[in-house]
Amino acid sequence: MAKGVEAHRSPGSCFCQRSFFVAAVSAAVLSAWAGVKINESRRIKEFHSQQIALLPNLMRNSNCLDARTIARYQNVSCSGIENEKTFPGRGFMLYRNLITMEYTRKMRKFVESLPSRDRYRCGCNTAIEPEICRPTDRWFYSELPETMKILEQKMKDLLATGGFSRGENRFEIQSGEFSGINPWSYPWQYINDWCEWMDSMKSQHFRVWITKWTGLPGHQGRHGWHQDGGPIHKFFLIIRKEDPKHANLKMMPFDVFNRCKPKVDDAEYRSKGVWASPKRGKHYYFDIETIMCLPELEVGDVIFFREDVYHDTQDVLKDRMALIFNVVTS
């Protein structure tokens, strides 16, 4: 009886069984491969943690290692940042609801009209960023005259505080840049935490190339801790934002940083708390994440910061578009 049933099985059922078997084997192989990669990534992170633990601490003030002191510095880091009197000691200034929804809507409409292969590359490395992402001063004054008047007045007020290192008293808003964050779908949005290569310049060039030729958001908009240099200071205006708790700017105030600043004057920040001294050929450890300021930004909010302020992208988990105004002082 069983043989008779077996004999009458259709070819289609056999094909389905084979397909199911192939799919099951493929899933098992992929799961095993993913497990190996995850364990390898974990071992690499543990090795890096051990290596970092061996690096000499770079903080000038040993109290910066104390948890209670760090907690106090964290509270201090964001206090008074909406008061212009604190700007000389902080190096940056937060303006809440400075630009109205009517004005930001106009900027948002412009950038959203760009082709996806250009829009998703706004904010990447200047050498590979489309020119259309970098408006000129002529575009600013012709398309955004009301916004320019507001920013010019704020710049005059900031110059009056004497909060610039070279005692500048003149300024010029010369150019700008649209800077976006393009989140990936779950779970790929967390890949930056899994793979350190994602923070490298090679990774950025590769992902920007994918965006250029496919129109897909390969470029996420992530930037590590850095100073811009110049003197080119910045107004950072939020024109589109999905969630106030994500895609913000991490800022490092001068006064808090100077309490724990590096002992070695030529130390340059690399990543993940590691600093390098070109003169000495040595590496040190100083985790600025513990004493940073992280204001939650919404559409219409503006942060002004000097070119020598350390800043970083909080995360790339939610959508955000900002318009940057470059300010040259003399």
Side-chain angles (χ1 to χ4, degrees), residues 17-280:
Q17 289 178 353
R18 293 193 194 97
S19 300
F20 177 78
F21 176 75
V22 171
V25 171
S26 300
V29 171
L30 287 174
S31 298
W33 179 82
V36 170
K37 286 298 181 181
I38 291 173
N39 289 332
E40 181 182 352
S41 177
R42 188 181 294 116
R43 286 196 300 270
I44 291 174
K45 283 188 175 182
E46 290 176 354
F47 175 76
H48 285 177
S49 298
Q50 294 171 359
Q51 295 299 307
I52 287 175
L54 298 176
L55 294 178
N57 178 52
L58 192 58
M59 292 180 176
R60 186 182 300 276
N61 186 350
S62 60
N63 289 332
C64 297
L65 299 175
D66 179 69
R68 188 174 300 175
T69 305
I70 288 175
R72 184 170 70 250
Y73 285 168
Q74 284 178 325
N75 294 331
V76 171
S77 290
C78 278
S79 64
I81 59 174
E82 299 180 43
N83 186 342
E84 288 179 347
K85 293 181 180 179
T86 67
F87 173 71
R90 290 282 147 109
F92 67 93
M93 176 77 197
L94 172 61
Y95 299 98
R96 294 286 188 190
N97 301 313
L98 182 64
I99 308 300
T100 65
M101 293 294 291
E102 177 186 358
Y103 297 156
T104 57
R105 192 179 300 114
K106 185 175 183 179
M107 305 173 204
R108 189 165 60 248
K109 185 177 180 180
F110 170 81
V111 74
E112 289 175 352
S113 68
L114 300 179
S116 60
R117 66 184 61 216
D118 291 334
R119 183 175 71 253
Y120 286 142
R121 287 189 291 154
C122 287
C124 67
N125 184 276
T126 305
I128 50 180
E129 183 182 41
E131 288 189 13
I132 199 168
C133 294
R134 302 194 299 271
T136 62
D137 56 343
R138 180 178 299 179
W139 186 88
F140 281 149
Y141 283 99
S142 63
E143 300 295 328
L144 312 173
E146 302 87 355
T147 299
M148 297 304 288
K149 289 180 182 178
I150 295 172
L151 297 182
E152 284 182 341
Q153 183 56 54
K154 293 302 179 184
M155 195 62 210
K156 292 176 182 177
D157 296 339
L158 289 171
L159 285 174
T161 66
F164 293 86
S165 59
R166 287 169 286 272
E168 298 95 318
N169 54 21
R170 292 184 297 174
F171 71 91
E172 182 180 0
I173 301 178
Q174 290 190 342
S175 59
E177 176 187 25
F178 286 100
S179 180
I181 286 191
N182 313 305
W184 293 352
S185 301
Y186 180 87
W188 306 111
Q189 60 188 160
Y190 295 102
I191 196 170
N192 286 294
D193 298 324
W194 301 340
C195 180
E196 294 185 2
W197 180 76
M198 292 295 290
D199 289 333
S200 67
M201 188 58 66
K202 289 183 179 179
S203 168
Q204 183 177 148
H205 279 256
F206 175 70
R207 288 181 286 119
V208 168
W209 179 84
I210 290 177
T211 301
K212 180 178 180 180
W213 294 107
T214 66
L216 298 174
H219 171 66
Q220 293 176 283
R222 182 184 178 95
H223 299 279
W225 283 103
H226 65 283
Q227 296 170 304
D228 290 332
I232 301 178
H233 319 290
K234 287 180 168 58
F235 280 109
F236 190 91
L237 165 63
I238 302 295
I239 63 175
R240 188 184 69 207
K241 202 160 187 283
E242 183 179 354
D243 188 343
K245 294 186 178 298
H246 292 279
N248 294 299
L249 282 184
K250 296 186 288 189
M251 310 296 297
M252 178 52 58
F254 287 144
D255 50 358
V256 175
F257 179 73
N258 287 336
R259 295 174 191 177
C260 302
K261 66 183 179 180
K263 304 172 187 176
V264 181
D265 294 334
D266 71 324
E268 299 175 355
Y269 191 76
R270 290 294 185 256
S271 64
K272 301 184 185 304
V274 177
W275 297 65
S277 170
K279 293 181 181 178
R280 294 170 174 78

Side-chain angles (χ1 to χ4, degrees), residues 284-295:
Y284 303 87
Y285 183 74
F286 171 27
D287 188 6
I288 57 181
E289 294 276 344
T290 59
I291 53 175
M292 68 176 180
C293 171
L294 182 61

